Amino acid sequence: MFTRMLIYAQQDAQFTQYMYNTINVNPAYAGSRGAMSIFALHRTQWVGLDGAPVTNAVSINTPINGSNLGLGASLINDRIGPTHENTISADVSYYIHTSETFKLSFGIKATANLFDLDQTKLNPVDATDPSLQNFNKFTPNIGAGIYLHSDKAYVGFSVPNFIESKRYNDNEIAIFKEKINYYLIAGYVFDLDDSIKFKPALLTKLVQGAPLQVDVSGNFMFNDRFVVGLAYRWSAAFSAMAGFQVTDGLYIGYGFDNETTNLKHYNSGSHELFLRYEIFNTISKMTTPRFF
């Protein structure tokens, strides 16, 4: 006799260096850096734990010259145990000047999700159980966000997915469901002296059926080139981060998470590596890195 279960996924992919990867959670970020920004990230979570999440993300976003529009596109590949998801998104943003230094952007995100359950990665008691056969499903979604920013500060609120979609649904056995995720992000850059900047940042994520996630971080930038920092994910992990501005356009970043939960006994941490490459025009070229 089977018992009905309700199963929630990890929900949206988790990133330690969210401040560099804002486009994936807030479409209003598209074009906000004043340059075409190309981003690629690889994250290996809970190394040593069988079936732990592995995430790859690529994105591009750019302002549209001569307008107040920004465009973006992204792909996230997320593998957790026997499940495999590809999330493809397109973003459109529109900004207005609220003062000489601040812009307020509004964004819309359209998403296509391709979910796949690989039965060969399971070890069922009954291999002929029809509910545990290979399964794949396509689900569309839509989201929105707002983003207020200057060269030194930002705050944003977003809901990347308004539709609660059922990835895996068998009326007799289980429901594998994507819930709505709510994000609030904020950060500010302090000039400590001519060569040192300090940026505290915050991300909060709320999703029904899961504890409130709060990520706080602090990064120092030296001589507009070297970045080091620490972060804490509430009741989950401590993180160390480092980055290097190789050229005006190329930035490399690395993050390491050390779990504080009981999972720390079963894995050796999480690793995150990313590259960001930006193409500036003569008008938008920045004299110093934006730091977010």
Side-chain angles (χ1 to χ4, degrees), residues 55-257:
T55 304
N56 292 288
V58 294
S59 66
I60 181 171
N61 74 92
T62 183
I64 303 301
N65 290 336
S67 74
N68 290 12
L69 293 172
L71 297 178
S74 61
L75 168 65
I76 299 177
N77 175 269
D78 207 17
R79 302 194 303 275
I80 307 175
T83 67
H84 187 173
E85 288 191 76
N86 285 302
T87 303
I88 305 168
S89 300
D91 306 285
V92 178
S93 69
Y94 181 84
Y95 75 85
I96 57 175
H97 288 275
T98 58
S99 69
E100 291 185 2
T101 56
F102 277 90
K103 296 177 182 178
L104 178 62
S105 299
F106 305 88
I108 297 175
K109 179 184 290 287
T111 299
N113 181 276
L114 294 90
F115 173 85
D116 179 74
L117 172 66
D118 185 355
Q119 185 268 344
T120 63
K121 295 182 179 179
L122 298 173
N123 186 25
V125 174
D126 181 5
T128 64
D129 187 340
S131 66
L132 295 176
Q133 302 307 304
N134 288 354
F135 176 86
N136 55 74
K137 187 173 183 179
F138 165 81
T139 53
N141 220 311
I142 190 168
I146 56 174
Y147 185 67
L148 178 67
H149 69 95
S150 68
D151 286 344
K152 289 186 175 294
Y154 67 90
V155 61
F157 177 77
S158 60
V159 181
N161 53 327
F162 282 120
I163 303 171
E164 293 189 348
S165 56
K166 297 176 181 179
R167 300 286 196 267
Y168 182 79
N169 182 17
D170 186 298
N171 291 328
E172 298 297 327
I173 306 298
I175 296 176
F176 193 71
K177 193 172 185 179
E178 171 75 4
K179 304 293 289 184
I180 297 175
N181 290 248
Y182 302 89
Y183 287 89
L184 175 66
I185 58 173
Y188 189 86
V189 179
F190 295 91
D191 292 315
L192 301 185
D193 63 28
D194 292 339
S195 61
I196 304 176
K197 295 181 173 69
F198 173 63
K199 185 194 69 177
L202 168 74
L203 176 146
T204 62
K205 181 171 72 170
L206 177 64
V207 56
Q208 182 183 348
L212 176 67
Q213 178 181 317
V214 180
D215 289 46
V216 292
S217 65
N219 280 284
F220 291 89
M221 175 178 273
F222 301 92
N223 297 316
D224 292 329
R225 290 290 179 186
F226 299 96
V227 176
V228 292
L230 296 173
Y232 176 61
R233 183 172 301 117
W234 194 264
S235 298
F238 283 102
S239 305
M241 297 173 288
F244 179 55
Q245 191 77 41
V246 182
T247 67
D248 287 345
L250 179 62
Y251 183 83
I252 299 174
Y254 170 77
F256 174 77
D257 296 353

Side-chain angles (χ1 to χ4, degrees), residues 257-273:
D257 296 353
N258 188 38
E259 290 292 316
T260 59
T261 68
N262 288 333
L263 273 175
K264 65 184 177 182
H265 302 297
Y266 306 99
N267 74 90
S268 54
S270 304
H271 300 271
E272 194 172 278
L273 178 68

